[in-house]
Amino acid sequence: MAKVELLSQDERQALLPALEETGWRADPEADAIRKVWKFRNFSQAWGFMSRAALIAEKMNHHPDWRNVFNVVDVTLSTHSCGGMSILDVELARALDALPSEAVIERDHSQPIACLCGQA
Ligand SMILES: C[C@H](O)[C@H](O)[C@H]1CNC2=NC(N)=NC(=O)C2=N1
């Protein structure tokens, strides 16, 4: 497979605003995008992760993610090029297309632990 390349500045400007609309944000620590879904319970969160895992495996592109009870915190980047590539955009779009009743957390300034207290 051809080496995947980092997104150029032009590509970022063209592709990232639509993802921001759906709740993705740049990860300040890394050249990556991050989105946090909050579900009603663990079962819904795990259901989402199960469907996401099947998609990721099919795409051979896998999320860096963390689950705490009803919260799924996803970061996407491409290891082989050390940052954000078109594969991350494609996986982000695929995750956005999954049916989900989650609340999307749009303020990522604080690290996510558990949002249990904020029903
Ligand atoms: C060998 C295999 O194709 C690679 O390791 C794939 C698998 N999944 C991956 N997932 C992500 N997020 N980034 C990668 O660079 C990547 N590479």
Side-chain angles (χ1 to χ4, degrees), residues 28 66 74 93:
R66 181 159 184 255
V74 177
R93 287 174 177 159

Side-chain angles (χ1 to χ4, degrees), residues 52-68:
L54 294 177
I55 289 175
E57 189 61 0
K58 210 172 196 171
M59 294 174 73
N60 191 31
H61 198 64
H62 303 87
D64 173 343
W65 56 6
R66 181 159 184 255
N67 163 234
V68 180

Side-chain angles (χ1 to χ4, degrees), residues 1 60-64 75-81 87-88 91:
M1 196 174 83
N60 191 31
H61 198 64
H62 303 87
D64 173 343
T75 298
L76 303 180
S77 74
T78 302
H79 316 149
S80 53
C81 65
L87 297 179
D88 302 305
L91 181 55

Side-chain angles (χ1 to χ4, degrees), residues 4-75:
V4 182
E5 307 220 341
L6 288 177
L7 290 178
S8 68
Q9 283 309 321
D10 283 355
E11 287 169 328
R12 286 161 197 251
Q13 277 170 21
L15 296 169
L16 297 184
L19 290 180
E20 286 211 2
E21 288 284 308
T22 67
W24 292 93
R25 295 289 181 273
D27 183 328
E29 301 290 310
D31 187 23
I33 48 174
R34 180 174 171 214
K35 179 170 174 177
V36 180
W37 284 257
K38 181 189 175 191
F39 296 87
R40 295 176 72 86
N41 50 44
F42 176 74
S43 181
Q44 279 192 5
W46 186 252
F48 172 81
M49 293 177 80
S50 304
R51 291 188 288 276
L54 294 177
I55 289 175
E57 189 61 0
K58 210 172 196 171
M59 294 174 73
N60 191 31
H61 198 64
H62 303 87
D64 173 343
W65 56 6
R66 181 159 184 255
N67 163 234
V68 180
F69 176 44
N70 58 341
V71 174
V72 182
D73 184 344
V74 177
T75 298

